[in-house]
């Protein structure tokens, strides 16, 4: 009888399969701060900065418009709900809801970007 057939693994280069010879090379590039590692880190920093500016704009635009809208409104400034002035309720509740929501969205997206970065570095 002849030799048993040799098994060969065929994968596409863009799959998550480990490539021989380059195992952990990208991780080493990042840790040793080689030029390629710097490119990876700068890309992550650029992505995080873009996200921060987007969230900042999404928070600052409504916050800047809120006093203008309240100042132009025709509601009486002495109106009270549960003993609290109505303008304070309008300023307080939506502002804190906006800040908490924006913060939670920012953290979730930033962590996703970091996970994608780590996955990309380990794949490379």
């Amino acid at each position: 009888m002849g030799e048993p057939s040799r098994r060969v693994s065929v994968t596409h280069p863009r799959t998550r399969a480990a490539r021989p010879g380059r195992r952990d090379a990208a991780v080493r590039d990042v840790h040793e701060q080689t030029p390629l590692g710097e490119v990876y880190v700068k890309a992550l920093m650029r992505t995080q900065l873009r996200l921060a500016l987007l969230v900042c704009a999404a928070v600052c635009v409504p916050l800047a418009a809120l006093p203008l809208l309240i100042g132009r409104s025709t509601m009486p400034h002495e109106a009270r709900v549960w003993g609290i002035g109505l303008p304070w309720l309008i300023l307080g509740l939506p502002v804190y809801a906006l800040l908490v929501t924006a913060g939670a969205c920012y953290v979730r997206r930033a962590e996703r970007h970091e996970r994608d970065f780590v996955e990309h570095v380990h794949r490379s």
Side-chain angles (χ1 to χ4, degrees):
M1 303 237 136
E3 290 180 30
S5 62
R6 197 173 123 213
R7 296 184 120 193
V8 176
S9 175
V10 179
T11 61
H12 191 275
R14 292 188 183 171
T15 62
R16 295 176 188 222
R19 295 182 193 148
R22 285 265 316 161
R23 187 174 206 145
D24 297 329
V27 175
R28 194 172 34 254
D29 286 337
V30 171
H31 284 293
E32 293 176 1
Q33 297 178 353
T34 64
L36 180 60
E38 286 181 23
V39 168
Y40 284 147
V41 172
K42 283 183 182 181
L44 174 65
M45 290 173 57
R46 218 177 7 257
T47 304
Q48 297 289 41
L49 177 63
R50 191 176 321 122
L51 174 63
L53 292 175
L54 178 71
V55 170
C56 185
V59 168
C60 289
V61 169
L63 288 182
L66 197 57
L68 297 174
L69 292 174
I70 290 175
R72 294 185 47 91
S73 72
T74 58
M75 74 174 163
H77 294 289
E78 298 301 319
R80 295 198 170 278
V81 176
W82 299 304
I84 301 171
L86 191 58
W88 284 108
L89 280 177
I90 293 173
L91 280 173
L93 294 178
V95 168
Y96 285 111
L98 175 68
L99 291 174
V100 168
T101 303
C105 289
Y106 175 79
V107 168
R108 193 177 78 236
R109 292 291 301 255
E111 287 175 349
R112 184 184 311 159
H113 289 311
E114 290 173 7
R115 271 194 315 271
D116 291 346
F117 171 75
V118 169
E119 185 178 308
H120 177 73
V121 166
H122 283 293
R123 226 182 351 188
S124 296

